[in-house]
Amino acid sequence: MYTYDKTMDREKNRYPGEGISKGRYRFILESVPISIRSLLSNLSIDELDGIEEFRLKVDAPLMVYGSGFNAFVTEDGRLSKQKTRAYVVTEEDASKALQLMCNCSLYSIEDDLRSGFITIRGGHRIGVAGKVVTDGGRIKTIKDISSLNIRVSREVLGCAGSVIPYLIKDRTGVYNTLIISPPQCGKTTLLRDIIRQLSGGVPSLGFEGIKVGVVDERSEIAGCYKGVPQNDVGIRTDVLDACPKAQGVMMLIRSMSPVVIATDELGRPEDLTAVGEAVNAGVSILTTVHGWGRDDAARKPVIGELLRDGVFERIVVLSRKRGPGTIDEIYDGALGKKISVSGGGVG
Amino acid sequence: MILKMIACSVVLFSATAAGFVIAGRFSGRVRDLRLIQEGLKMMESEILFTSTQLPEALLNTSAKLEAPLDRVFVHAAQILEGRMGYTAGEAWNLAFEKYLEALCFNKEDLEIIRDFGKSLGSTDKANQEKNFRLARLQLSSQQVKAEEDRGRNERMYKNLGFLLGVTIIILLI
């Protein structure tokens, strides 16, 4: 019933009376109430392509954020710098949006709400803020939703092309790799494409493709909707969606015999044991961490320890120098030496 | 004479039929109330035990439900799947409005159904359970009343139709 058609015909995804097909923004438009949907569908595809976040806050103007810009959405469906003509989001808009986002089944996303975000079809993630209801110190749910932040999921297929040759050890193996990147620099996008290429194989390098296990705690990598990855993560990839990292790594080692395990944002004490476990079992690790360069990462508790132990054989450092996803440097962890020339922006 | 006989039997037949139709609405209401309670029960377990999403829960329920309620559930599911911005409550009400003629609910019943629709799908499981419980409780007391009404009125309207027919014939002759 809810099949996600990857070969979606752009012309077929029209809304009656709107005339413009919004292709991959369809699921975002479907998740906001008609009042806001009609404004957003007025924006051109070029405008939509520049947007990274749609922010709905009760009694505040409807806003969009992109790379280095933000704008208000006016009442006639245009982007504007002026607050005065902006559409003001009502309480009804927010509560309706939340219902539409979960397919009118709030009860089915109770667990997601507890962690503060939900993933919709298309892999887009929606952050939720409001009144948090606790029960004995544990978060029970969020009610009276005041803010919704729709983060557009963008796959940049092929963005890992310049990194992959440095990560491949031989025909069937990869190095333990750490990606260090400041926030919003395309860390997850790069990780996703590395996973896709390792899993699918890289014929030009004679690399056949290996079994990849992904522990996707925040549903950001594969963007699973009802357990099915909405992003292309390759044919040999098994995804544990919404699973705590350390436990997920153990589960994958035991159950899915992966060659490499990929996770996003390592950093909790228990992750250390899990990584050790994986390395002992001969499974490679591919992970990321927030940070501005190698020295900064080395100061972080868990990652610092792993770096000092020489667990990571390849370290990729990202920056925003030439747009999000600029590959700054690639280090050989064992030699501690730079092994790449600076690469270009990847999206 | 033959013409008169035919006219008389037509009058008698239609008056009796009208009586039966009105009487039928009483047993129809009992049937519909029973069906909607069954439907709610099935939907409740889909929602509470398997967290099935609402459109799917509505469809699964409709497959096990008898006419005319099954169509209402299918229609509500279709509205939600159309993703035209309707919430569960709105879809629920629209579906009942569409099939209002085919259903035998009275105003009170519909009020309960609409109130139930307001929180359908828009709260967590614990509150969904309360909502389902409350609606079923109210509907079952409506059913008791409907059964009393049927016992009292069904026979009466059937006879009344026939007698009305006879009266008209006597007056005309």
Side-chain angles (χ1 to χ4, degrees), chain A residues 190-209:
Chain A
L190 178 69
L191 178 68
R192 188 184 301 131
D193 200 53
I194 293 176
I195 293 170
R196 184 185 66 88
Q197 297 205 26
L198 291 180
S199 168
V202 190
S204 59
L205 299 171
F207 187 73
E208 282 177 353

Side-chain angles (χ1 to χ4, degrees), chain A residues 305-333:
Chain A
E305 204 162 316
L306 290 172
L307 279 171
R308 279 188 292 280
D309 289 350
V311 169
F312 294 110
E313 296 152 299
R314 292 288 181 267
I315 297 154
V316 181
V317 181
L318 298 186
S319 77
R320 259 196 130 103
K321 281 178 194 159
R322 283 177 300 279
T326 307
I327 293 151
D328 229 15
E329 288 152 341
I330 300 173
Y331 291 96
D332 181 318

Side-chain angles (χ1 to χ4, degrees), chain A residues 213-345:
Chain A
V214 176
V215 187
D216 199 1
E217 186 166 1
R218 300 200 290 170
S219 306
E220 266 183 318
I221 305 172
C224 286
Y225 175 79
K226 287 189 177 182
V228 180
Q230 303 285 295
N231 294 319
D232 185 359
V233 285
I235 47 172
R236 295 180 186 85
T237 304
D238 305 304
V239 182
L240 273 180
D241 184 40
C243 180
K245 259 168 293 207
Q247 289 173 46
V249 170
M250 303 288 204
M251 279 165 74
L252 283 175
I253 297 171
R254 283 190 216 117
S255 59
M256 303 307 287
S257 71
V259 177
V260 57
I261 292 180
T263 74
D264 212 1
E265 287 167 36
L266 222 56
R268 275 192 232 126
E270 63 263 33
D271 297 347
L272 201 64
T273 341
V275 170
E277 197 74 30
V279 173
N280 281 340
V283 179
S284 304
I285 284 285
L286 172 60
T287 190
T288 68
V289 69
H290 274 302
W292 281 261
R294 218 156 49 120
D295 297 335
D296 186 42
R299 280 193 290 274
K300 293 181 188 276
V302 172
I303 288 294
E305 204 162 316
L306 290 172
L307 279 171
R308 279 188 292 280
D309 289 350
V311 169
F312 294 110
E313 296 152 299
R314 292 288 181 267
I315 297 154
V316 181
V317 181
L318 298 186
S319 77
R320 259 196 130 103
K321 281 178 194 159
R322 283 177 300 279
T326 307
I327 293 151
D328 229 15
E329 288 152 341
I330 300 173
Y331 291 96
D332 181 318
L335 304 172
K337 273 202 302 198
K338 211 162 122 172
I339 51 171
S340 76
V341 281
S342 291

Side-chain angles (χ1 to χ4, degrees), chain A residues 1 103 105-107 110, chain B residues 52-54 81 83 121 125:
Chain A
M1 199 175 355
N103 217 349
S105 314
L106 215 69
Y107 54 84
E110 270 177 58
Chain B
T52 314
Q53 294 211 325
L54 203 59
E81 274 171 6
R83 299 201 136 255
K125 268 186 198 167

Side-chain angles (χ1 to χ4, degrees), chain B:
Chain B
M1 190 61 198
I2 292 176
L3 213 64
K4 246 184 198 171
M5 290 277 276
I6 293 173
C8 285
S9 45
V10 166
V11 167
L12 192 65
F13 178 78
S14 18
T16 315
F20 269 74
V21 167
I22 295 171
R25 300 222 25 119
F26 287 97
S27 38
R29 185 173 160 226
V30 174
R31 176 203 61 205
D32 289 354
L33 283 167
R34 179 178 55 83
L35 284 178
I36 191 161
Q37 286 177 73
E38 274 174 28
L40 291 188
K41 189 141 195 159
M42 285 188 253
M43 222 159 74
E44 187 180 354
S45 51
E46 293 258 359
I47 284 172
L48 295 184
F49 302 124
T50 51
S51 285
T52 314
Q53 294 211 325
L54 203 59
E56 216 177 316
L58 285 164
L59 277 184
N60 293 347
T61 307
S62 76
K64 290 179 242 158
L65 218 54
E66 287 167 41
L69 253 289
D70 58 343
R71 275 179 289 166
V72 181
F73 280 65
V74 170
H75 192 60
Q78 280 169 345
I79 294 175
L80 289 179
E81 274 171 6
R83 299 201 136 255
M84 292 309 298
Y86 290 110
T87 61
E90 288 164 344
W92 178 258
N93 286 342
L94 283 173
F96 273 92
E97 260 161 45
K98 182 171 178 189
Y99 289 104
L100 210 55
E101 296 288 306
L103 301 168
C104 302
F105 293 123
N106 70 12
K107 249 190 188 159
E108 275 175 46
D109 306 337
L110 287 171
E111 195 72 26
I112 296 169
I113 291 169
R114 279 200 194 106
D115 279 346
F116 165 78
K118 274 181 205 157
S119 335
L120 179 62
S122 64
T123 62
D124 58 1
K125 268 186 198 167
N127 284 315
Q128 286 295 301
E129 192 178 0
K130 281 182 207 158
N131 191 32
F132 273 100
R133 282 246 173 98
L134 178 69
R136 282 199 286 125
L137 205 69
Q138 288 174 322
L139 287 169
S140 82
S141 75
Q142 287 297 102
Q143 195 184 346
V144 173
K145 281 190 219 161
E147 271 162 12
E148 282 170 11
D149 281 353
R150 180 178 65 176
R152 218 179 310 129
N153 299 326
E154 196 177 25
R155 243 199 136 75
M156 186 186 81
Y157 275 101
K158 278 181 188 167
N159 292 337
L160 208 64
F162 176 75
L163 290 175
L164 188 73
V166 174
T167 319
I168 293 171
I169 291 166
I170 292 170
L171 285 177
L172 288 179
I173 290 172

Side-chain angles (χ1 to χ4, degrees), chain A residues 141-155:
Chain A
T141 185
I142 301 179
K143 63 171 193 179
D144 304 330
I145 303 304
S146 59
S147 295
L148 290 163
N149 176 21
I150 307 173
R151 295 182 62 182
V152 183
S153 153
R154 281 211 180 82
E155 289 179 277

